[in-house]
Amino acid sequence: MPHTYSIVGLGKLGASMAAAIASRGFNVIGVDVNAHAVDAVNAGRAPVQETGLDDLIAANRERLRATTSHREAILDSDVTFVIVPTPSDESGGFSLQYAAWAFGEIGDALAQKAGYHVVVLTSTVLPGSTRYGLLPILEQRSGKTCGADFGLCYSPEFIALGSVIRDFLHPDFTLVGEFDERSGRALEAAYAAIMPKQPPCRRMTLENAELTKIAVNTFVTTKVAYANMLADLCERIPGGDVDVVSDALGFDARIGRKYLTGALGFGGPCFPRDNVALGYLARVLGTRADLAETTDRTNRALAGTVLERLRLSIPHGATVAVLGLAYKPFSHVIEESQGIALAKTLSRHGARVVAHDPLAAALASQELKDHGLVLDSLKDCLRQASVIVIATPDPAYQALEAQDIARPGVTVTVVDCWRLLARKLSGRPGINYVPVGRSTDDVRNAARLSALWQS
Ligand SMILES: NC(=O)c1ccc[n+]([C@@H]2O[C@H](COP(=O)([O-])OP(=O)(O)OC[C@H]3O[C@@H](n4cnc5c(N)ncnc54)[C@H](O)[C@@H]3O)[C@@H](O)[C@H]2O)c1
């Protein structure tokens, strides 16, 4: 069983994996082209923001070091995980540019290594990338043969930002795509030693594993999009309430309650791009992935359609407060954030936008530019607005009370995408409470529904 691991790419996923593996008693050598990331790890600090990472790195300094030299790390370790960016390219697929460069460096190092070594690609890629895109680079640069001289796996992790360390150490299962039996067996044994509860391991071909990773993400996002569709329908039914419907649906073991809360759509660095990539893959393989493409299309349109379907008339020049600009609570990441999309949509329709986020204010401010003024104080934000849109289920917004929102002489409209404040705000004087996913006009909805049966 391997005793020393190397991790190429000390970013949001890689740095957390390095610390997590070290915390299980193994030696870990991190590699990054960014000297700041390397210096941070060697100084016992987290190179990126992630829950618990600073403490875990500090607590495991004796087993964790970092270098900018791929050669040094490969020569001194038995298994290498490669976790470098695979950004979307213009076609919708994932670029292998960074991975190819890293595999070239690893190939050069393997040329100088005597023993067997397993290389594991962890970055998200499309089927075929590992075998046809990256393996030839390893063989060419090392002058060696995969299978005989070194092993190769594709093995993604199923993690969410904000809980990367916990998710990595306690997954539902591990997924191992293997070039051959020996590579897969070595990685399965490594995971069994690293992960405290020894989760089930699914071993398969490289291509099936590459597809499985994308399939997990696209399935989950389709579930989110489905719940958002139910929310839209519930708004049009007298007494409609998406939480009532979703809670019941969740009891069906075939469905489950997770990711079924109709609200705003999904965002972040991973989910949105995977549906696009699956659509691209299907097209180049001569078929279609209509479900994935529809999920992507409806998700991207959601910020606009939520406001439209709530029949919200926002007077030109009115001040609207958007609360929640990161793609989810407890995160500073604003990539593909629904809150940012909402703020931009509102600004384009003539609203004056003020906004707030507990962690993402600085990045959001750069992104919004003239589309919104990001304020540090939630109170200042609320004081100015005649319309408030709650875009993320952040505890800071859940803790708001009617008196934080109501203002004398003004009716404040609160669009609550996550229904956080229903109990506190429904029916309160001076507040027009508009929950996404619930009927707000039972008379109109009943009239429309009854008209269906009067022929
Ligand atoms: N962040 C997530 O939630 C998540 C979840 C699952 C999968 N992934 C996948 O993991 C991969 C990495 O994601 P991330 O969020 O950690 O990226 P990131 O941008 O946070 O970090 C990538 C790191 O790799 C380094 N790097 C780039 N090229 C390198 C090279 N040749 N050698 C050494 N280091 C190099 C960068 O300097 C950076 O520190 C992506 O493919 C992503 O899709 C990410």
Side-chain angles (χ1 to χ4, degrees):
M1 196 223 308
H3 294 291
T4 302
Y5 294 87
S6 48
I7 308 269
V8 176
L10 293 170
K12 297 182 282 295
L13 180 51
S16 302
M17 270 177 68
I21 296 173
S23 77
R24 299 288 297 152
F26 298 101
N27 293 320
V28 180
I29 308 168
V31 189
D32 206 293
V33 289
N34 177 353
H36 293 300
V38 169
D39 291 345
V41 170
N42 285 332
R45 286 183 283 108
V48 291
Q49 192 257 328
E50 178 53 42
T51 311
L53 184 56
D54 244 327
D55 290 347
L56 203 65
I57 289 180
N60 291 282
R61 281 184 76 172
E62 66 193 70
R63 283 182 297 278
L64 179 58
R65 66 184 165 93
T67 171
T68 52
S69 163
H70 295 72
R71 181 176 172 277
E72 179 189 332
I74 274 62
L75 293 184
D76 286 352
S77 62
D78 313 290
V79 174
T80 300
F81 291 96
V82 181
I83 316 163
V84 296
T86 46
S88 301
D89 59 24
E90 304 98 57
S91 62
F94 301 127
S95 163
L96 290 184
Q97 184 192 344
Y98 296 93
W101 197 85
F103 270 62
E105 296 289 305
I106 295 167
D108 290 346
L110 287 177
Q112 297 167 30
K113 183 159 184 176
Y116 183 72
H117 192 98
V118 181
V119 180
V120 183
L121 178 67
T122 298
S123 303
T124 307
V125 294
L126 282 174
S129 305
T130 312
R131 189 186 306 274
Y132 303 109
L134 298 171
L135 169 56
I137 299 173
L138 274 186
E139 290 195 324
Q140 194 198 355
R141 296 276 284 266
S142 66
K144 294 186 170 178
T145 305
C146 191
D149 304 316
F150 63 88
L152 179 66
C153 293
Y154 170 74
S155 180
E157 306 301 334
F158 300 97
I159 55 97
L161 293 182
S163 54
V164 179
I165 294 165
R166 189 194 62 207
D167 296 348
F168 170 71
L169 288 174
H170 302 282
D172 291 343
F173 72 112
T174 55
L175 176 62
V176 172
E178 59 193 38
F179 175 83
D180 61 355
E181 227 281 314
R182 186 180 178 192
S183 315
R185 195 169 4 101
L187 184 57
E188 181 177 6
Y191 279 148
I194 292 168
M195 286 154 189
K197 291 188 187 144
Q198 308 222 340
C201 179
R202 280 284 159 273
R203 284 170 54 188
M204 55 190 74
T205 64
L206 295 168
E207 290 75 16
N208 279 331
E210 290 163 328
L211 182 60
T212 303
K213 165 65 182 175
I214 306 283
V216 167
N217 284 3
T218 53
F219 190 89
V220 167
T221 51
T222 298
K223 219 174 153 185
V224 174
Y226 190 87
N228 292 335
M229 177 193 76
L230 291 178
D232 184 11
L233 288 169
C234 285
E235 287 164 16
R236 293 155 202 272
I237 291 172
D241 185 336
V242 71
D243 294 318
V244 170
V245 176
S246 293
D247 284 348
L249 268 179
F251 275 108
D252 188 315
R254 293 168 301 177
I255 299 174
R257 180 65 175 81
K258 285 183 181 169
Y259 290 92
L260 210 55
T261 300
L264 272 182
F266 51 87
C270 293
F271 274 169
R273 66 198 199 111
D274 289 353
N275 283 295
V276 177
L278 195 66
Y280 162 75
L281 177 74
R283 281 195 303 282
V284 297
L285 294 180
T287 183
R288 294 155 61 127
D290 289 345
L291 269 179
E293 291 189 4
T294 302
T295 295
D296 179 61
R297 200 175 50 252
T298 53
N299 191 61
R300 285 181 197 282
L302 205 62
T305 55
V306 161
L307 294 175
E308 223 169 78
R309 76 185 194 224
L310 293 169
R311 299 185 298 281
L312 206 64
S313 57
I314 297 171
H316 193 87
T319 298
V320 181
V322 176
L323 308 186
L325 300 167
Y327 84 99
K328 65 176 185 179
F330 304 111
S331 172
H332 63 288
V333 177
I334 57 161
E335 258 175 283
E336 305 268 1
S337 140
Q338 294 284 344
I340 296 275
L342 269 170
K344 286 183 176 172
T345 305
L346 285 159
S347 159
R348 284 194 194 104
H349 282 81
R352 174 180 171 264
V353 175
V354 291
H356 176 269
D357 191 280
L359 292 177
L363 285 173
S365 185
Q366 284 171 25
E367 175 65 29
L368 286 177
K369 299 191 182 82
D370 298 344
H371 289 299
L373 178 65
V374 184
L375 299 171
D376 287 336
S377 157
L378 178 54
K379 268 194 183 153
D380 286 348
C381 220
L382 299 176
R383 203 176 296 137
Q384 301 182 27
S386 55
V387 179
I388 296 165
V389 184
I390 302 176
T392 59
D394 197 287
Y397 310 139
Q398 192 147 23
L400 287 170
E401 300 291 339
Q403 59 267 30
D404 299 321
I405 289 165
R407 295 213 316 273
V410 187
T411 297
V412 180
T413 295
V414 179
V415 179
D416 187 352
C417 297
W418 297 84
R419 304 168 292 285
L420 305 177
L421 302 175
R423 237 179 353 92
K424 295 182 196 172
L425 300 190
S426 298
R428 290 299 288 248
I431 294 177
N432 171 30
Y433 182 68
V434 186
V436 164
R438 284 187 191 160
S439 165
T440 51
D441 191 342
D442 285 349
V443 175
R444 182 175 187 270
N445 286 340
R448 191 158 51 186
L449 203 58
S450 70
L452 251 183
W453 309 101
Q454 289 163 8
S455 52

